[in-house]
């Protein structure tokens, strides 16, 4: 069984923010919407306020303190 493996090449990843880096893939180029340079979790700008409000709403609805 020859030629059953896919072609594995160096790929250039481009983020919507403009950041680029390379990795291995079966595709030559990959386009992503977020990366570690622009994702709120990694940049420290992620807001937890909305989730806290949902937890309080749940606790109030079901009588938890």
């Amino acid at each position: 069984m020859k030629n059953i493996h896919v072609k594995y090449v160096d790929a250039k990843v481009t983020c919507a923010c403009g950041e680029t880096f390379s990795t291995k893939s079966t595709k030559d180029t990959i386009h992503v919407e977020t990366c570690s340079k622009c994702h709120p979790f990694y940049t420290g700008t992620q807001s937890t306020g909305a989730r806290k409000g949902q937890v309080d709403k749940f606790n109030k609805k079901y009588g938890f303190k």
Side-chain angles (χ1 to χ4, degrees), residues 3-22:
N3 300 323
I4 62 171
H5 297 289
V6 294
K7 183 180 172 187
Y8 198 57
V9 296
D10 288 322
K12 180 180 178 183
V13 181
T14 305
C15 180
C17 72
E19 181 70 22
T20 60
F21 56 93
S22 62

Side-chain angles (χ1 to χ4, degrees), residues 34-52:
T34 58
C35 66
S36 62
K37 297 288 183 183
C38 64
H39 192 280
F41 177 79
Y42 296 106
T43 60
T45 59
Q46 183 175 16
S47 173
T48 58
R51 285 184 282 159
K52 186 177 186 298

